[in-house]
Amino acid sequence: MTQLLHCPQLSLCSYTEEAHVASVTQAGVAPDHFYGTTIYPTDVFIAGEWLRVKNQRMDAAIALNYTPTLSAECKLLRDLEVGDLVVVGEEGIRIPDKTTANPPDREFSFMSSGVSSERQVRLIVERLANDLLTYRESGWKVVITAGPVVIHTGGGDALATLIRQGYVQALLGGNAIAVHDIEQALFGTSLGVDMQQGINVRGGHRHHLQAINCIRRCGTIERAVDQGILNHGVMYECVKQGIPFALAGSIRDDGPLPDTITDTVVAQQEYARLLHGADMILMLSSMLHSIGVGNMTPAGVQIVCVDINPAVVTKLCDRGSVESLGVVTDVGLFLNLLVQQLTQQTVPKLTQISG
Amino acid sequence: MTQLLHCPQLSLCSYTEEAHVASVTQAGVAPDHFYGTTIYPTDVFIAGEWLRVKNQRMDAAIALNYTPTLSAECKLLRDLEVGDLVVVGEEGIRIPDKTTANPPDREFSFMSSGVSSERQVRLIVERLANDLLTYRESGWKVVITAGPVVIHTGGGDALATLIRQGYVQALLGGNAIAVHDIEQALFGTSLGVDMQQGINVRGGHRHHLQAINCIRRCGTIERAVDQGILNHGVMYECVKQGIPFALAGSIRDDGPLPDTITDTVVAQQEYARLLHGADMILMLSSMLHSIGVGNMTPAGVQIVCVDINPAVVTKLCDRGSVESLGVVTDVGLFLNLLVQQLTQQTVPKLTQISG
Amino acid sequence: MTQLLHCPQLSLCSYTEEAHVASVTQAGVAPDHFYGTTIYPTDVFIAGEWLRVKNQRMDAAIALNYTPTLSAECKLLRDLEVGDLVVVGEEGIRIPDKTTANPPDREFSFMSSGVSSERQVRLIVERLANDLLTYRESGWKVVITAGPVVIHTGGGDALATLIRQGYVQALLGGNAIAVHDIEQALFGTSLGVDMQQGINVRGGHRHHLQAINCIRRCGTIERAVDQGILNHGVMYECVKQGIPFALAGSIRDDGPLPDTITDTVVAQQEYARLLHGADMILMLSSMLHSIGVGNMTPAGVQIVCVDINPAVVTKLCDRGSVESLGVVTDVGLFLNLLVQQLTQQTVPKLTQISG
Amino acid sequence: MTQLLHCPQLSLCSYTEEAHVASVTQAGVAPDHFYGTTIYPTDVFIAGEWLRVKNQRMDAAIALNYTPTLSAECKLLRDLEVGDLVVVGEEGIRIPDKTTANPPDREFSFMSSGVSSERQVRLIVERLANDLLTYRESGWKVVITAGPVVIHTGGGDALATLIRQGYVQALLGGNAIAVHDIEQALFGTSLGVDMQQGINVRGGHRHHLQAINCIRRCGTIERAVDQGILNHGVMYECVKQGIPFALAGSIRDDGPLPDTITDTVVAQQEYARLLHGADMILMLSSMLHSIGVGNMTPAGVQIVCVDINPAVVTKLCDRGSVESLGVVTDVGLFLNLLVQQLTQQTVPKLTQISG
């Protein structure tokens, strides 16, 4: 984490040096000593004034734009073009006090950050439900990252319900969650196990391949919905509710589904596009996709990370920011409890407890 | 695991050698080459006939009694007395086919054994609820081993309900589960965290010590109940329902409570006494006590082990017997869901699915 | 796992039905009821004779080729072309006894399969060293899959040594292992921590970005080696020894390096090409890439999987085949010990212990 | 953790209230509102002066002694006697700045506290070796807490070497580590697995029982050494070098060995006696015993905790003090590497790196 210029009393700084810049001379390559960005809101001192950097994210360079007016934005190395002006060194950069990162009107009512499996998940669910109701009412943006464990542990219906009822504005995942959701919708099984009876179905180990083949025949998930072939589940609800989703390809994919974005650079762009403006991210049992999302997400976005493995939760919540909450629990039970709570709790409660 | 004489076709064995025995000459010490027992029902061939060994358990010697009639029983090394006749070597010992270990009239309806966190816990809960209803109706014996995580994760009320409603015939644990249950009953906190609001209470880190001090002042947990000081919770229900419990001491204990059996040999005797005749054991997030219980428990007893750590579940379920089921999940949510299911499901369903 | 026709006594089968086939009518889509393959060597009965399926792997279809002569091969759904003939149903398919999957002249000297953290890793290392010596001498092919944890835990030098000394014939991984290896080679740090002193270096959190930028400037890893900029480490040794490597892109990548294959379908093809003919695969702390590799790998290939997380090892070793060995340990120490053992043990010992 | 009176600038406190005290009226029961202690050095203001509390430990009461002179000490609830004066409330209590807890002349050279499996264990081992050499030379006290995993993972010889070479001043554990060490010494197996060949030995599953029986016959571990029956291993070295050990009983014990202290209150007293004055504690893969030890240990004692399970390491290191270091690694490899390092490094290096 950077130690640069955490300067709460800016008025005391009588003189500020201009940020140094250098030109990009080779596409996709930054100048030496380029400044690598963090998740924290950052200002650069250019032409005698502090500019707030746009599209804040980790591990980018800061590029200046002079048209239409002077501005600064985070730009990935691979996106740098010849002639771009990039900030180098550490002069003229400040990270305002982190406590201002979290706008007061989106105060999150959770107990203080941290990770523990020995904690009352029911309490957390109750407050998350309250926040989701408030967010929906206020038109704030909630993005979910989810892995196939959500389906295997019986959380698929609950996730579909959250989408149907308008609590989710975008879904990010990989090929696998969509395959297993569609397997469940078409065959009633998850990895060949009957989801109602918990027993292996004869020939069931091929269901996920048949699900992939079915969607490939239709052309896309959307067309499978339109043709009435796919008629419930998580992906169905995304199509029906018009909730955008991005499925990022990986080396372990079967198929893949035609919707899966096999180029990971394109997938990152699509993830970033869908994450833009997010107020809350729920990370549900998917370390790979959640790390990807974490890299793109500035401080100030509420993050709730649910996984049964404490090491995953610790890794994802270790952002040096106060807005992430880790919950070590069974994600299937968690989602079912959340939907149950939302059903009971039609209006958000007044929150008496500060974070 | 022993490989001895798994002999399903006993009629083919035309000749059987007598088991060899030797005398104990030093109290608490077995003769050389004594036969160490397993969890499986075992027969010894003595005086021309096969005797079924009584009190079957792991890691004991087999001692013969001649009065009133010839019998054989498992006896711990420390319990051997001078003059006891102990089976030595491997002659004249047989372990009948393991498939007969599980009486057909107590068929357990669970899916096949195994351990997985990627499984529908709700299905397991539904069937366990069904079995618990059957067991209660049939007068079969259910014993619970539980650790303090049950309380920290918000499962205390659910466990108290199971006891109050007659699903549990004995409770085994350590000092800690009782301390934390009583802390919650007296102060509403668990390790100083308010269980309704999920926040730290000022001075709350001392509540567990004050709970211990309070019970020490009363004399016993029972007297605290009688005096109206302890008026709800897991230990309260045990006292009120007359459900016996045993709290085994350990090196990590605070206090301890006056009820805690600080001598571990005495605690093992008390555990064994309460386990006698058990038909099902629920092991809830307590590796230490569950391993102790596993050592005392013969094959044929249904074991359901719930823990959030897959390594613990694997260790406890690895008994080489078919009756153990491991569930990797959040024990607090599990217990709440179980009570919810029992409430809905007043009569046991017919079970259509074989194990 | 398929239950089909495990038929050790094939001579007793007096009559065999022909396998059924159907044509592909849409590119990348299999006919209904196509047979999905497993990791086990598979035969199809076509035109009156049993054909062994080529390129055996999981989750593929079986396509027939008639030119130059009749043959059958595993083909991924996405690779199917209009007009391909694909096996459907389960007639005319057999999986010969699994025990023949492992050629007797490549007997692996390890203790029986299984997973445990409570095991003597030194013994396993000793035998793996012995096997690696034999494999190198015999010209057998060893492929390594590795994650960045290998570098963070101090195993980088040891892995580089294995490559330099000819024990490794291909390296598979992601962007991250290469980035962290190159960070260590260029800056002496791993995620900004000095690898000799174990302390955070000022500004070190940007080293991995600078490493990426440096290679992007050079054009490829190979050119960075040619220019003398990258002069030691894992990737350096791959270039110098002419050991092919494939870096598969993922959603979590920084950069990526110019060598990283961002299209995951292309990356799978390259993985499969490098895995072709592998006799042993070492999977070193990379669940994502190792699952990908496992899907492509037929039974009969020795797999040794090392990870500090028992759940990962269990998942990777759960192939229903006898040739996988899981080791729950610290991968950095494991690799250092392995190199130390190889240095001491110049000729392979006679192996007295059967698997 | 207490928030009381962390008062670095004590001179600014112009007036201090006397601590309040109350009498014990029932043996083993503290007065209401007694002050429960923490691990931090604590002062009480009595009779106009600040007294440093003796025998500092967690979860005790503070009792005053008036003879021979006024003093204050930590006393467990169960040890309170009628008439003892105990501090109640929070007046007149201060916890001086925690940074003074660690005497500067015992500076520990480790990298900053924390827990990670992605870290160079070799670096940690190198520095621990350096510290152990310094400690031995300086006559400082090192206590080891160890579980049976040390033996199963092949660390037994290394631990025996540490004891033989004078690096250890006391050994704390349970029945199991002694049983498995003695099994290995007598039979060459650990849980029935041959430690040289890694294979199961016929009948080996009974070796641990036979080891117990053997020591029971001898009377004590010491007598088994005297009689030449036990002639190497961890417990042998303790006896031969006169290093005191305490084996605490637990509910899971087989046997137990005659040396095992079955009463856990007595075991806690013996642990506390052996821990008195410890400068460093190595906690090796034993959560149960290490938690017990942690409760008895004041801040300022160096703690190094080694376990393959990150959750255990996190739990043990979470003391709110700066002197604990968690290492997530394979304890068998760790100990072997440590002994190897100590052998190479005969004199302690000058430490250039501050903690």
Side-chain angles (χ1 to χ4, degrees):
Chain A
M1 291 295 101
T2 181
Q3 299 293 326
L4 287 180
L5 285 166
H6 295 285
C7 187
Q9 295 159 284
L10 296 170
S11 60
L12 299 182
C13 303
S14 55
Y15 169 78
T16 307
E17 198 174 347
E18 282 276 308
H20 297 188
V21 295
S23 291
V24 170
T25 57
Q26 184 181 352
V29 180
D32 280 342
H33 309 301
F34 70 99
Y35 177 81
T37 59
T38 68
I39 61 170
Y40 301 105
T42 304
D43 298 334
V44 286
F45 197 73
I46 297 282
E49 59 172 339
W50 286 107
L51 287 177
R52 172 59 49 101
V53 175
K54 295 178 186 167
N55 295 324
Q56 188 64 42
R57 57 157 293 159
M58 261 181 71
D59 289 338
I62 298 175
L64 303 183
N65 294 311
Y66 283 88
T67 51
T69 57
L70 182 61
S71 65
E73 66 168 336
C74 283
K75 209 166 174 181
L76 291 175
L77 298 187
R78 64 181 182 238
D79 295 331
L80 293 174
E81 293 165 53
V82 174
D84 277 355
L85 285 175
V86 165
V87 175
V88 295
E90 306 195 348
E91 263 90 12
I93 292 176
R94 73 176 184 199
I95 294 179
D97 194 289
K98 296 178 188 181
T99 59
T100 67
N102 196 11
D105 59 345
R106 266 196 296 114
E107 196 193 338
F108 201 57
S109 57
F110 277 159
M111 52 199 79
S112 61
S113 286
V115 171
S116 174
S117 66
E118 301 185 4
R119 203 197 272 207
Q120 279 214 53
V121 174
R122 293 169 73 85
L123 276 180
I124 295 175
V125 164
E126 196 178 299
R127 291 174 193 189
L128 178 59
N130 197 42
D131 284 310
L132 285 177
L133 284 162
T134 307
Y135 275 50
R136 187 176 65 171
E137 201 168 275
S138 311
W140 288 329
K141 183 172 182 178
V142 176
V143 179
I144 285 187
T145 311
V149 173
V150 167
I151 310 298
H152 305 327
T153 56
D157 285 351
L159 179 52
T161 301
L162 289 179
I163 295 167
R164 187 171 57 248
Q165 300 188 343
Y167 295 107
V168 183
Q169 280 66 55
L171 178 69
L172 308 178
N175 185 65
I177 184 173
V179 168
H180 291 292
D181 169 64
I182 293 168
E183 177 191 336
Q184 188 178 5
L186 298 182
F187 299 98
T189 58
S190 177
L191 285 175
V193 176
D194 184 292
M195 295 299 273
Q196 293 310 311
Q197 307 193 298
I199 54 172
N200 282 295
V201 172
R202 184 173 157 75
H205 66 286
R206 290 177 194 149
H207 285 174
H208 76 284
L209 267 193
Q210 293 175 325
I212 293 167
N213 199 48
C214 171
I215 302 299
R216 291 181 71 89
R217 175 171 294 134
C218 296
T220 61
I221 293 171
E222 185 173 355
R223 282 193 220 153
V225 172
D226 291 346
Q227 295 170 25
I229 288 170
L230 183 63
N231 54 29
H232 65 283
V234 172
M235 301 315 297
Y236 167 84
E237 293 296 347
C238 285
V239 170
K240 277 297 181 187
Q241 307 304 322
I243 299 305
F245 59 86
L247 307 176
S250 86
I251 190 73
R252 56 164 287 183
D253 289 348
D254 286 316
L257 292 169
D259 302 76
T260 297
I261 305 170
T262 59
D263 191 308
T264 51
V265 167
V266 178
Q268 286 186 344
Q269 288 162 352
E270 191 61 11
Y271 265 47
R273 193 178 70 80
L274 295 180
L275 283 165
H276 191 79
D279 297 290
M280 184 196 283
I281 302 173
L282 293 187
M283 299 177 167
L284 305 176
S285 291
S286 176
M287 184 165 68
L288 174 66
H289 303 95
S290 298
I291 291 177
V293 166
N295 290 344
M296 302 172 192
T297 303
V301 178
Q302 302 295 353
I303 292 180
V304 179
C305 170
V306 183
D307 204 292
I308 205 161
N309 183 344
V312 169
V313 174
T314 301
K315 185 159 196 164
L316 291 174
C317 287
D318 182 19
R319 289 166 57 83
S321 71
V322 294
E323 313 92 4
S324 61
L325 176 81
V327 189
V328 178
T329 193
D330 183 305
V331 73
L333 295 191
F334 182 91
L335 285 170
N336 280 289
L337 212 55
L338 180 60
V339 166
Q340 198 176 309
Q341 187 68 31
L342 283 166
T343 309
Q344 291 164 16
Q345 195 174 317
T346 48
V347 288
K349 293 185 201 165
L350 274 186
T351 301
Q352 302 100 330
I353 300 139
S354 61
Chain B
M1 289 298 101
T2 182
Q3 298 294 325
L4 285 180
L5 284 166
H6 296 285
C7 188
Q9 295 157 285
L10 295 170
S11 60
L12 298 182
C13 303
S14 56
Y15 170 78
T16 307
E17 199 175 345
E18 282 276 308
H20 299 188
V21 296
S23 291
V24 170
T25 57
Q26 185 181 352
V29 181
D32 280 342
H33 309 300
F34 70 99
Y35 177 82
T37 59
T38 68
I39 62 170
Y40 300 106
T42 304
D43 298 334
V44 286
F45 197 73
I46 297 282
E49 59 172 339
W50 286 106
L51 287 177
R52 172 60 48 102
V53 176
K54 295 177 187 169
N55 295 325
Q56 188 65 42
R57 57 157 292 158
M58 260 180 72
D59 289 338
I62 298 174
L64 303 182
N65 294 312
Y66 283 89
T67 51
T69 57
L70 181 62
S71 65
E73 66 169 336
C74 283
K75 210 165 174 181
L76 291 174
L77 298 187
R78 66 182 180 235
D79 295 330
L80 293 174
E81 293 164 53
V82 174
D84 277 354
L85 285 175
V86 165
V87 175
V88 294
E90 306 194 347
E91 262 90 12
I93 292 176
R94 75 178 182 197
I95 293 179
D97 193 290
K98 296 177 188 181
T99 58
T100 66
N102 196 11
D105 60 345
R106 268 196 294 116
E107 196 193 341
F108 202 56
S109 58
F110 276 159
M111 53 200 78
S112 60
S113 285
V115 171
S116 174
S117 66
E118 300 185 2
R119 203 197 271 208
Q120 278 215 52
V121 175
R122 293 169 72 86
L123 276 179
I124 295 174
V125 164
E126 196 178 298
R127 292 177 193 186
L128 178 57
N130 197 41
D131 283 310
L132 285 177
L133 284 162
T134 307
Y135 275 50
R136 186 176 66 170
E137 200 169 276
S138 311
W140 289 328
K141 182 173 183 178
V142 176
V143 179
I144 285 186
T145 311
V149 173
V150 168
I151 309 298
H152 305 327
T153 56
D157 284 352
L159 179 52
T161 301
L162 290 179
I163 295 167
R164 186 172 56 249
Q165 298 187 345
Y167 295 107
V168 183
Q169 280 67 54
L171 179 70
L172 309 178
N175 185 66
I177 183 173
V179 168
H180 291 291
D181 169 64
I182 294 167
E183 177 191 337
Q184 187 178 5
L186 298 183
F187 300 98
T189 58
S190 178
L191 284 175
V193 176
D194 183 293
M195 296 299 274
Q196 293 310 311
Q197 307 193 298
I199 54 172
N200 281 295
V201 172
R202 185 173 155 75
H205 65 287
R206 290 178 193 147
H207 285 174
H208 76 283
L209 267 193
Q210 292 175 325
I212 293 167
N213 198 48
C214 171
I215 302 299
R216 291 181 71 89
R217 175 171 293 136
C218 295
T220 63
I221 293 171
E222 186 173 356
R223 281 193 222 153
V225 172
D226 291 347
Q227 295 169 25
I229 289 170
L230 183 63
N231 54 29
H232 65 283
V234 173
M235 301 314 298
Y236 168 84
E237 293 296 347
C238 285
V239 170
K240 277 297 181 187
Q241 308 304 323
I243 301 304
F245 59 86
L247 307 177
S250 85
I251 191 73
R252 56 166 286 184
D253 290 348
D254 286 317
L257 292 170
D259 302 76
T260 297
I261 306 170
T262 59
D263 191 308
T264 52
V265 167
V266 178
Q268 286 185 344
Q269 287 161 354
E270 191 61 10
Y271 266 47
R273 192 178 71 79
L274 294 181
L275 283 164
H276 191 80
D279 296 291
M280 185 196 284
I281 302 173
L282 293 186
M283 298 176 168
L284 305 175
S285 291
S286 176
M287 185 166 67
L288 174 67
H289 303 97
S290 298
I291 291 176
V293 165
N295 291 343
M296 302 172 192
T297 303
V301 178
Q302 302 295 352
I303 292 180
V304 179
C305 171
V306 182
D307 204 291
I308 205 161
N309 183 343
V312 169
V313 174
T314 300
K315 185 159 195 163
L316 292 173
C317 287
D318 182 19
R319 290 167 55 83
S321 71
V322 295
E323 312 92 4
S324 60
L325 176 82
V327 189
V328 179
T329 193
D330 184 306
V331 73
L333 295 190
F334 182 91
L335 285 170
N336 280 289
L337 212 55
L338 180 60
V339 166
Q340 199 176 309
Q341 188 67 33
L342 283 166
T343 308
Q344 291 165 15
Q345 195 174 316
T346 48
V347 288
K349 294 186 201 164
L350 274 184
T351 302
Q352 303 102 331
I353 301 139
S354 60
Chain C
M1 289 298 99
T2 184
Q3 298 292 327
L4 286 180
L5 284 167
H6 295 285
C7 186
Q9 293 158 286
L10 296 169
S11 59
L12 298 182
C13 303
S14 56
Y15 170 78
T16 307
E17 199 174 346
E18 282 276 308
H20 298 188
V21 296
S23 290
V24 170
T25 57
Q26 183 182 353
V29 181
D32 279 343
H33 308 301
F34 70 97
Y35 177 82
T37 60
T38 67
I39 61 170
Y40 301 105
T42 303
D43 298 333
V44 286
F45 198 72
I46 297 282
E49 60 172 338
W50 286 106
L51 286 178
R52 171 60 49 100
V53 175
K54 294 179 186 168
N55 295 326
Q56 188 64 43
R57 57 156 292 159
M58 260 179 72
D59 289 337
I62 299 175
L64 303 183
N65 294 312
Y66 283 89
T67 51
T69 57
L70 180 62
S71 65
E73 65 168 337
C74 283
K75 210 165 174 181
L76 291 174
L77 298 187
R78 65 181 181 238
D79 296 330
L80 292 174
E81 294 164 51
V82 174
D84 277 355
L85 285 174
V86 165
V87 176
V88 294
E90 305 196 347
E91 263 89 13
I93 293 177
R94 74 177 183 197
I95 293 179
D97 194 292
K98 296 176 189 181
T99 59
T100 67
N102 195 11
D105 59 344
R106 269 197 292 117
E107 196 194 339
F108 202 57
S109 57
F110 276 160
M111 52 200 79
S112 61
S113 286
V115 171
S116 173
S117 66
E118 300 185 4
R119 203 197 272 208
Q120 279 215 52
V121 174
R122 293 170 70 86
L123 276 179
I124 295 175
V125 164
E126 195 178 299
R127 291 175 195 189
L128 177 58
N130 197 41
D131 283 311
L132 284 177
L133 285 162
T134 307
Y135 276 50
R136 186 175 68 170
E137 200 168 277
S138 312
W140 289 330
K141 183 172 182 177
V142 176
V143 179
I144 284 186
T145 311
V149 173
V150 167
I151 310 298
H152 306 327
T153 56
D157 285 351
L159 179 52
T161 301
L162 290 179
I163 295 167
R164 187 171 56 247
Q165 298 187 346
Y167 294 107
V168 183
Q169 279 66 55
L171 178 70
L172 308 179
N175 185 66
I177 184 174
V179 168
H180 291 291
D181 169 64
I182 293 168
E183 177 191 336
Q184 188 178 4
L186 298 182
F187 300 97
T189 59
S190 177
L191 284 175
V193 175
D194 183 292
M195 296 299 273
Q196 294 309 311
Q197 307 193 297
I199 53 172
N200 281 294
V201 172
R202 185 175 156 74
H205 65 286
R206 291 179 193 146
H207 285 174
H208 76 284
L209 267 194
Q210 293 175 327
I212 292 168
N213 199 47
C214 171
I215 302 299
R216 290 181 71 89
R217 175 171 292 135
C218 295
T220 62
I221 294 172
E222 185 173 354
R223 282 193 220 152
V225 171
D226 291 346
Q227 294 170 25
I229 288 169
L230 183 64
N231 54 30
H232 65 282
V234 172
M235 300 315 297
Y236 168 83
E237 293 296 346
C238 285
V239 170
K240 277 298 180 185
Q241 308 303 322
I243 300 304
F245 58 87
L247 307 177
S250 86
I251 191 73
R252 58 166 286 184
D253 289 348
D254 286 317
L257 292 170
D259 302 76
T260 297
I261 305 170
T262 59
D263 191 308
T264 52
V265 168
V266 178
Q268 286 186 344
Q269 287 162 352
E270 192 61 11
Y271 265 48
R273 193 179 69 80
L274 295 180
L275 283 164
H276 191 79
D279 298 290
M280 184 195 283
I281 302 173
L282 294 186
M283 297 176 169
L284 305 176
S285 291
S286 176
M287 184 165 67
L288 174 67
H289 303 96
S290 297
I291 291 177
V293 165
N295 290 344
M296 302 173 191
T297 304
V301 179
Q302 302 294 352
I303 292 180
V304 179
C305 171
V306 183
D307 204 292
I308 206 161
N309 183 344
V312 169
V313 173
T314 300
K315 186 159 195 163
L316 292 173
C317 287
D318 182 18
R319 290 166 57 82
S321 71
V322 295
E323 312 93 4
S324 60
L325 178 81
V327 189
V328 178
T329 193
D330 183 308
V331 72
L333 295 190
F334 182 90
L335 285 170
N336 279 289
L337 212 55
L338 180 60
V339 165
Q340 199 176 309
Q341 188 67 33
L342 283 165
T343 309
Q344 289 165 16
Q345 195 174 316
T346 48
V347 289
K349 294 185 201 166
L350 274 185
T351 301
Q352 301 101 330
I353 301 139
S354 62
Chain D
M1 289 298 102
T2 183
Q3 298 291 327
L4 287 180
L5 284 167
H6 296 284
C7 187
Q9 295 159 286
L10 296 170
S11 60
L12 299 182
C13 303
S14 56
Y15 170 78
T16 307
E17 198 175 346
E18 282 276 307
H20 298 188
V21 296
S23 291
V24 170
T25 58
Q26 184 181 352
V29 179
D32 280 342
H33 308 301
F34 70 98
Y35 177 82
T37 59
T38 67
I39 61 170
Y40 301 105
T42 304
D43 298 334
V44 286
F45 197 72
I46 298 281
E49 60 172 337
W50 286 107
L51 285 177
R52 171 61 47 102
V53 175
K54 295 179 188 167
N55 295 325
Q56 188 64 42
R57 57 156 293 159
M58 260 180 73
D59 288 338
I62 299 175
L64 303 182
N65 294 312
Y66 283 88
T67 51
T69 57
L70 181 62
S71 64
E73 66 168 336
C74 283
K75 210 164 173 181
L76 291 173
L77 298 187
R78 66 181 181 238
D79 295 331
L80 293 174
E81 293 164 54
V82 174
D84 277 354
L85 286 175
V86 164
V87 176
V88 295
E90 306 194 348
E91 263 88 11
I93 293 177
R94 73 175 183 198
I95 294 178
D97 193 290
K98 295 178 189 181
T99 59
T100 66
N102 196 9
D105 59 344
R106 267 194 295 115
E107 196 194 339
F108 202 55
S109 57
F110 276 159
M111 52 198 80
S112 61
S113 285
V115 170
S116 174
S117 66
E118 300 185 4
R119 203 197 271 207
Q120 279 214 52
V121 175
R122 294 169 70 87
L123 277 179
I124 295 174
V125 164
E126 196 177 299
R127 292 175 194 189
L128 177 59
N130 197 41
D131 283 310
L132 284 177
L133 284 162
T134 306
Y135 275 50
R136 186 176 67 171
E137 202 169 273
S138 311
W140 289 329
K141 183 172 182 178
V142 176
V143 179
I144 284 186
T145 311
V149 172
V150 168
I151 310 297
H152 305 327
T153 55
D157 285 351
L159 179 52
T161 301
L162 290 179
I163 295 167
R164 187 171 56 247
Q165 298 187 345
Y167 295 107
V168 183
Q169 279 66 55
L171 179 69
L172 308 179
N175 185 65
I177 184 173
V179 168
H180 291 292
D181 169 64
I182 294 168
E183 177 191 335
Q184 187 178 5
L186 298 182
F187 299 99
T189 58
S190 176
L191 285 175
V193 175
D194 184 293
M195 295 299 274
Q196 294 309 311
Q197 306 194 299
I199 54 173
N200 281 294
V201 172
R202 185 174 157 73
H205 64 287
R206 291 179 193 147
H207 285 174
H208 76 284
L209 267 193
Q210 293 174 326
I212 292 168
N213 200 48
C214 171
I215 301 299
R216 291 181 71 89
R217 176 171 293 134
C218 295
T220 62
I221 294 171
E222 185 173 355
R223 280 193 222 152
V225 172
D226 291 348
Q227 295 170 24
I229 288 170
L230 182 64
N231 54 30
H232 65 282
V234 172
M235 301 315 298
Y236 168 84
E237 292 296 347
C238 285
V239 170
K240 277 298 183 186
Q241 308 304 322
I243 299 305
F245 59 86
L247 307 176
S250 86
I251 191 73
R252 56 166 288 184
D253 290 347
D254 286 317
L257 292 170
D259 302 77
T260 297
I261 305 170
T262 60
D263 191 308
T264 52
V265 167
V266 178
Q268 287 186 344
Q269 288 162 352
E270 191 61 11
Y271 265 47
R273 193 179 70 80
L274 294 181
L275 283 164
H276 191 79
D279 297 290
M280 184 195 283
I281 302 173
L282 294 186
M283 297 177 169
L284 304 176
S285 290
S286 176
M287 184 165 68
L288 175 66
H289 302 97
S290 298
I291 291 177
V293 165
N295 291 343
M296 302 173 192
T297 303
V301 178
Q302 302 294 353
I303 292 181
V304 179
C305 170
V306 183
D307 203 291
I308 205 161
N309 183 344
V312 169
V313 173
T314 300
K315 186 158 196 164
L316 292 174
C317 287
D318 182 18
R319 290 166 56 84
S321 70
V322 295
E323 313 92 5
S324 60
L325 177 81
V327 189
V328 178
T329 193
D330 183 308
V331 72
L333 296 190
F334 182 90
L335 286 170
N336 279 289
L337 212 56
L338 180 60
V339 165
Q340 198 176 309
Q341 187 68 31
L342 283 166
T343 308
Q344 289 165 16
Q345 196 174 316
T346 47
V347 288
K349 293 186 201 165
L350 274 186
T351 301
Q352 303 100 331
I353 302 140
S354 63

